Amino acid sequence: MLYYARGASNIPANTAIELPVQEYVTQREGNNGVVASARFPYRVTWIFRGDLPIESLPLKAVEAVVANIQVLALIQRPSVEFTQFLPFQEPDTVTLSNTEDEDRNWLLSANFSFEATFRVTTLADAEDLTSPGFFDLGEEPQVDQITIKVNKAQQGFDTTNNNTYKLDNTIILTP
């Protein structure tokens, strides 16, 4: 196994990655509620020297790490905001690959996901992709006057042709 120095001790070299959210779905609940569900995938990858035989890699120990994470997720919900928080059974909880450099080091990954359901109370931060103020609903526009035109249809009227109906009355409302 490869290590890196952290203070006075050596720790197994690994990387934890939060992958993009999958299967994000929102739906309306009641008059003003929005509930979302999504899958949150993660991967922890350890690096081992490439000259080690595959049999010496701790595949079972990495499977145990995934199993322990799943059990802890069932015992301890990470936030009370989640109405449901369950482990998702990945098709491959442990994957093995090699680096593409000349050392061809082993990359042993633990893959795990959680399916969560939660109430949505804020809009997602998309400012990197949208123009400023895109989601800014701001204050309601001020209405000074509403004008309603009442038209009288002529025989053979066509709703797409203004010449086939006649203005009968105009109603002006001021709040």
Side-chain angles (χ1 to χ4, degrees), residues 15 27 47 93 97:
T15 301
Q27 58 189 28
I47 187 167
T93 56
S97 60

Side-chain angles (χ1 to χ4, degrees), residues 85-125:
F85 189 83
L86 297 171
F88 174 77
Q89 187 59 48
E90 291 287 340
D92 296 313
T93 56
V94 176
T95 53
L96 185 63
S97 60
N98 293 99
T99 59
E100 295 182 11
D101 60 5
E102 62 188 42
D103 295 334
R104 303 281 295 156
N105 290 323
W106 293 106
L107 298 174
L108 182 57
S109 298
N111 306 300
F112 52 96
S113 299
F114 304 103
E115 290 186 327
T117 304
F118 49 95
R119 188 166 307 288
V120 177
T121 57
T122 60
L123 294 174
D125 181 11

Side-chain angles (χ1 to χ4, degrees), residues 139-158:
E139 295 181 22
E140 292 183 20
Q142 175 118 8
V143 178
D144 297 322
Q145 174 178 306
I146 298 175
T147 304
I148 302 171
K149 295 185 177 185
V150 180
N151 295 296
K152 185 187 283 184
Q154 296 177 355
Q155 189 172 9
F157 77 98
D158 178 2

